Amino acid sequence: MEFGPHLLLASLEGATTAAVLALTAMGLSIVFGVMRVVNVAHGEFYMIGAVLAWFIATSVGAHPALGFVAALLIAPLLVGFLAAGVDRLILRHINYDPERTIVATIGTLYILQQTTLMTFGPDARPVEPPFNSRIALPWFEWGENGFEFYFPWGLSTTSYKLFVIAAAVVILITLWLAITRTKAGLVMRATQQDSDMAQAFGIPVKTVYSVVFGLGAGLAAIGAVLVVPIQQAYYLMGHDPLLLSFIVVIIGGLGSLPGTIIAAILIGMADGIISVFFTPTLAKIFATLVVAMVLVFRPKGLLGKSTS
Amino acid sequence: MLELSHIQSGYGRVQVLFDVSLTAKEGEITCIMGRNGAGKTTTLKAIMGMLPLSGGSVALDGVNLSDLPPHDVPKSGIAYVPQGRRLFSELTVAQNLEVGLLHTKDKAATREEVLDLFPRLRERLKQQADTLSGGEQQMLAMGRALCLRPKVLLLDEPTEGLQPSMIDLIRDVVLQMKSRNLAVVLVEQRIDAVLNIADQVVFVENGRSLETTDTGALRENPEKLHHYLGV
Ligand SMILES: Nc1ncnc2c1ncn2[C@@H]1O[C@H](COP(=O)(O)OP(=O)(O)OP(=O)(O)O)[C@@H](O)[C@H]1O
Ligand SMILES: [Mg+2]
C-alpha cells in the first residue's frame, strides 16, 4: 500500500485507540480533579468492565447486538457501584489523604485483579461485536485524468470501529454538557474548587466523592465495553489503560478536562500510527518520551493552571 | 439565637480554641475582636462544623448544631462569608449565586433580592469570579451567603483590603440584615467601624473569650480596647 492510504488506515486505528483512551483517561482526570485522589486501581475498573461485558453478553445469548447493548448499559453501572463502594469502605476512612489513597488503591488493584483471576480465570475471552461489516475506504490521486477517487486494496475499516469513535464522541459531549449545564455538574465543580466552602453551602461533599469515584470508574468501564469486541477480556488487561491514562492526564494538565481530551487524541493517534508503521512498543516509548518532555518543559501540562 | 458555650476546637491535634462562649441575638450585630491569631476565624469555622468540637456546644434556637453533619449546618440557617472570600473561583458570578441557592426554596425571588442589594453583580453575571475586583468579590461572597436566606450571618473581616466607598456599601448591607432581624456575627479589626455598628463586642484572646461588652459601655470606657487589642 502506498504511504497516503497507509497513513489514513493508521489514523483510523489511532482514532479508535484515542476514543477509548479519552473515555478512560477522562474518568481518571475527573477523580483526580474533584477528589485529588490518584486512583491506581483505575485500570482494574476498566478490566472489570470488560469482564462483566463478556459475562453479560454471553448470559444474554440471543443476538450479539442485544448482548452488547445490555453489556454497554449494565457493565458501567455495576462498575460504578463497585467503585462507589470502594470509596465508602476504604477511601473515606483514610480521609482522602493523598499518600494513603495511593497505597490503598494499589491494594484495591490487586484485590480486584486476583478476585477476577479466581472467578473469571486466566483466559482471554472475546465478545462478539454487534455489527462488523467491512467498509472499503476511498483514496484520491492526481492522475492523467485529473482528480480521481479509487478504492485501494486493503484500505478498509470496520463499521464497529467507526461506531466506537462515534460513541466516545457522543458520551464525551454528553458528559461535558452534564458538567457545565446541570445542577449535578455545578455541585461537582463547586466541590472541586473548594470542598470546605461547598460543604458550607450544604453540599454533602462525601456523597459527591462517592458519585464522582463511581463516575470515573464507570467511564473506564464504558471504554472497556467498547474495546472488548476488538481486544478480548483478560484479567491483566488493565495495565496499559492505566499507564496511558496517567500519561494523558499528566500531558493534558492535572484536572483539566479539555487538556485530557486533547492529550488523549494526541497519544491515541500517535499510538495507532506508530503501531501500524513500526511497533506498539515504539508507540509506548514515544508516549513516555512525550510525558518526560512535558514534565520538563511544561510541568503543569498542556492546559494545566499554574495555581492550585 | 445562636449560642456558643465553652467551645473547644482546633486543627487535628493542635488545639486552638480553649473556651469560647458567645450569644448572638436576632436583630443584633455581635462583633468578635482580638489580635491576629487569637482564634476568631477558627471560631467561625467551628460554628459551621468545618472543624469538630472537642468540647462545649453550638446551638441555634435550641437545636444542637454539633450533632448535625457539617453540610446540614447551613441548611439550618447559618451562612458564612469567610475571610479571603473563598469564591468558587472558576465559576461565574451567576453560578456562585446558584450554589448559594441550592437549598433555598424561593430561588428566583431570593436571587433578585440579592442582586438588588448588589447591582454591580447583576452587570457581571457571566463573569468568572476570579476576574472580579476585590470589592466585587466581597459583594459576591456576601451575595452568595445571603442566597441561603439565613437566620444567622457570619462575616469574617468583610472589609479587609477594601476602599472606603466599598466599606460603606458593606456596612449598609450589614445594617440592612440587622433590620431584617438576622443575627449577625462580625469579625472586624477596625475599631471605629465596630463602635459604629456593633451591639455587643466579644473579646477573644488565645482561644478564649474573655469578655462581652455592649458597645455603649465600650464607647464610654475605651481602655478595654487598649487592654485587649493593644491600641
Ligand atoms: N489550618 C490550620 N492548621 C493549623 N493551625 C491553624 C490553622 N489555621 C489557623 N491555625 C492556627 O490557629 C490560630 C488561630 O487562627 P485564626 O485564623 O483563628 O486567627 P484569627 O483570630 O482569625 O487571626 P487573623 O486576625 O489574623 O485572621 C493561629 O495560631 C493559627 O496559626
Ligand atoms: Mg481570621
Side-chain angles (χ1 to χ4, degrees), chain B residues 10-12 14-17 32-45 51 83 156-157 160 187-189 204 206-207:
Chain B
Y11 303 87
V14 185
Q15 187 166 1
V16 171
L17 302 182
I32 303 180
M33 296 193 87
R35 295 171 206 246
N36 293 124
K40 306 181 295 293
T41 298
T42 307
T43 302
L44 299 193
K45 285 186 188 167
L51 299 172
Q83 188 168 15
D156 197 345
E157 306 203 23
E160 205 177 20
V187 172
E188 178 61 74
Q189 308 266 18
V204 177
N206 294 330

Side-chain angles (χ1 to χ4, degrees), chain A residues 190 193-194 197 199-202, chain B residues 70-71 74 86 88-90 103:
Chain A
Q193 287 169 39
D194 191 333
M197 284 315 293
Q199 190 162 277
F201 281 93
Chain B
H71 65 266
R86 292 182 67 174
F88 300 111
S89 54
E90 285 174 33
H103 301 283

